[in-house]
Amino acid sequence: MRFEKAAESWFGKAAADWKESTLAKYRALLRKHLLPAFGGMEAEGIGTGDVRDFAERELSGFSISARRFALSTLSRILQFSLPAELFRALEFPKGGKVRKGKADSLLPGELAALIRTLEGNKNPKRENTAHVLLLIAFTGMRLGEACALRLSDFDFVRNTVRIHATLERLPVENGGTADGAKGKARTALRLLPAKTASGEREIPIPEKLLARLKEMAAENPPEAPLTTRDPRTLQNHFKKFLKAAGISKDAHIHTLRHTFATHSLSAGADLKTLSATLGHASTHTTLDLYVHPTFESKRRLQEAFRLFIAHPEKWGRQGDDADWGEGFGKGRPFG
């Protein structure tokens, strides 16, 4: 069986329950990389050397996560189409370990400076962007979720906002036109449902934004979008606000979500509540992706350990047979 036919059969079976964004991601990988490289080959004739050549030739400039995704997809197609003994004989290059939570959050002083800059914005062309960025900063919602909001999603009796969709830029099949641009475009903006059940949620509206949001709701029809800005435009405006705030860090709008999660937990937020606010199905996702120790939390840890050594009597039993783990971390005996 030719690889092209094997990929078509695998895709038809695997894609049954995929969301549109997932479908577009796999289609783009197959069309741009896997089919040009292997499409005309017999699946049983693909060997370890072919896979390694493909990885070196096509994937050398990929990010680690994209490289792993491409190799994993190739592996799944071949496993689907090859006899077990042939598939086991193949060796796939290591895609590299993905470093979770790689992006830095803004420091408290940086976040405060950015918020002051957003609140003090006098440029009418960036007024809408400023309000969207403030909403993201104070709620931790994703950029796509904010761009998908309609004014009808805001409840000014309960002072909450309902998140149930996302606006994503997806590859365009066959290079069609998109977004009203002239000529051919590779991507188009699509309004999609929330990626998971936990992504659909209701969260409080920050008090600082209530007045302006109520004004917008009074001046526009309920189905008017919160913003008409393209996500790329919002990202460009965000860079300008960073510069105006005196922040040189290479940050993106998603950094605001990262910052919200990290500093909320540092400030004593309940992990389960934070996870639900972010739209995560598991608290492990919150910890793995967004929450990392700050320098001050590391300093507090060292100070707590120093006090533990200096005052062991506060921890109960002493001596060589003492259970040094008992009670450790179960309270705050040092103030």
Side-chain angles (χ1 to χ4, degrees), residues 266-301:
S266 296
D270 171 71
L271 177 59
K272 184 68 175 177
T273 302
L274 173 61
S275 183
T277 300
L278 292 172
H280 289 157
S282 166
T283 56
H284 293 294
T285 303
T286 308
L287 289 171
D288 288 345
L289 291 178
Y290 298 107
V291 182
H292 308 281
T294 63
F295 185 79
E296 285 304 314
S297 66
K298 294 175 184 177
R299 189 190 299 280
R300 290 195 297 270
L301 176 107

Side-chain angles (χ1 to χ4, degrees), residues 45-54 87-93:
I46 297 174
T48 296
D50 299 308
V51 175
R52 288 179 176 171
D53 288 345
F54 167 73
F87 176 75
R88 285 197 297 267
L90 288 173
E91 294 181 8
F92 284 79

Side-chain angles (χ1 to χ4, degrees), residues 39-263:
M41 298 177 64
E42 291 292 329
E44 293 190 4
I46 297 174
T48 296
D50 299 308
V51 175
R52 288 179 176 171
D53 288 345
F54 167 73
E56 292 176 3
R57 183 181 65 254
E58 295 288 335
L59 308 182
S60 59
F62 280 34
S63 67
I64 290 176
S65 59
R67 179 181 169 90
R68 291 185 68 187
F69 172 64
L71 290 172
S72 173
T73 303
L74 175 60
S75 174
R76 292 170 67 186
I77 294 172
L78 292 176
Q79 185 177 23
F80 172 81
S81 58
L82 295 178
E85 63 274 12
L86 288 182
F87 176 75
R88 285 197 297 267
L90 288 173
E91 294 181 8
F92 284 79
K94 298 294 183 182
K97 185 177 181 181
V98 175
R99 293 177 59 191
K100 293 183 178 180
K102 186 176 179 181
D104 289 332
S105 62
L106 297 178
L107 297 174
E110 292 173 329
L111 179 60
L114 177 61
I115 289 174
R116 285 196 300 270
T117 301
L118 293 171
E119 291 178 337
N121 171 64
K122 302 299 183 183
N123 186 339
K125 293 183 179 180
R126 298 180 194 161
E127 180 182 5
N128 183 260
T129 302
H131 288 104
V132 173
L133 293 177
L134 285 168
L135 184 65
I136 294 173
F138 280 100
T139 65
M141 71 174 64
R142 301 172 179 90
L143 173 59
E145 293 172 338
C147 289
L149 288 175
R150 305 280 174 177
L151 294 179
S152 57
D153 294 321
F154 294 90
D155 184 336
F156 295 110
V157 176
R158 292 163 48 83
N159 290 338
T160 61
V161 58
R162 184 173 68 96
I163 299 172
H164 57 92
T166 182
L167 188 70
E168 295 191 17
R169 185 171 290 280
L170 303 178
V172 175
E173 283 297 303
N174 302 320
T177 57
D179 303 337
K182 293 182 179 180
K184 292 186 176 180
R186 292 180 297 176
T187 61
L189 289 172
R190 298 293 300 275
L191 186 65
L192 304 172
K195 291 183 177 180
T196 63
S198 56
E200 296 186 17
R201 60 202 188 276
E202 186 178 34
I203 56 179
I205 303 172
E207 288 189 13
K208 285 191 173 185
L209 293 177
L210 273 173
R212 177 53 189 149
L213 289 169
K214 287 180 179 179
E215 287 178 7
M216 292 177 64
E219 296 168 355
N220 297 277
E223 291 308 307
L226 173 67
T227 179
T228 57
R229 299 291 190 186
D230 183 292
R232 288 176 177 172
T233 301
L234 293 174
Q235 291 281 12
N236 291 335
H237 285 187
F238 178 63
K239 293 287 187 179
K240 293 177 180 178
F241 279 120
L242 285 175
K243 184 176 180 180
I247 301 171
S248 59
K249 184 173 291 181
D250 183 21
H252 303 274
I253 291 180
H254 195 78
T255 305
L256 294 178
R257 178 171 167 85
H258 190 100
T259 301
F260 175 84
T262 300
H263 294 315

